Amino acid sequence: MSDSIVTEVELDLPPNEAWEHIVDPAWLGDDGHICAVPGGEGEIVDDGPLHVVVVEEVERPDRFAFRWATFDEPPSRVEIDIIESDGGSRVVITETPLMPIALQQSSSARPEDGGNESCDPHHVNTDHKESSRGTVIDGRSRFVAGSISPHHDTSAEQRVIGIAA
Amino acid sequence: VTPANSAPTLRIDVISEVLAALADPTRRALYEQLLTSGAASATVLADGADISRQAIVKHLQILELAGLASSERRGREVVYVPASDGIITLSKWIDTNTSRWQRRADRLKKNIVTSR
């Protein structure tokens, strides 16, 4: 599965200083907490639904990745890459929905009790094959479809391809 | 808190079905063929393909279940046409999550400014 929503944001802090803000879940939702260690759990409320979070990769200051799921949308994997750029940082966020089968294969990564402040890390299997494709437009989000080519005239199709806001 | 609670409610099973249907390269190719040709039978789609007609019928049925295609009988053959339900579901999901990430990106920038 390689359909992703890619968002890019430019920050005027170098990766090392931007890092603290990126692992602080204050920007990810209206309320919540994340234990930013591999295997750490969290909960985030954003735009209504509660996201249950399992942290997968914490590589200060380059990369932060987690899975999250709500009860009424497909679970997904969020990868945040922080790239140094002109004294600041370019942050590339890639959200990729996970297929039900992928969930079954890595059930060990599922939180058992919804996460809490105990922040008790455990090993998480991060053996994923998902990859993102395409480039991003500065400060925009866009949908990167695997291999649907944008050459059809069907309006419904164009809605998917031309999703960049 | 932004007044974005009007986001459409999306059913997990429906979206997963569409995403799973399009995750397979063969089905994507078939779906593209339906879009370009407007309508095609499994026999026509199997012509020149390196998989059997039977396998193509199975893929078409998955596309149909996901709301990406529908089948209709024309004379003696069953013809598949592209359907919009699946794509509408998918684009709603994309719209919702795209605007959520826009909002989060703005919030990240704002948090950095206010922390100074």
Side-chain angles (χ1 to χ4, degrees), chain A residues 19-91:
Chain A
W19 177 259
E20 293 308 328
H21 294 280
I22 286 161
V23 295
D24 177 349
W27 67 286
L28 290 170
D30 305 314
D31 193 16
H33 59 90
I34 286 184
C35 174
V37 295
E41 297 178 358
E43 286 178 321
I44 288 174
V45 176
D46 187 43
D47 191 22
L50 166 74
H51 295 258
V52 176
V53 182
V54 179
V55 175
E56 295 191 331
E57 292 172 56
V58 183
E59 291 166 27
R60 181 190 181 109
D62 309 313
R63 188 169 158 84
F64 181 48
F66 56 86
R67 290 178 188 214
W68 64 2
T70 66
F71 291 99
D72 52 18
E73 287 173 60
S76 59
R77 178 168 157 79
V78 177
E79 294 158 280
I80 302 169
D81 289 296
I82 305 126
I83 302 135
E84 166 127 47
S85 110
D86 280 332
S89 308
R90 190 154 55 87
V91 181

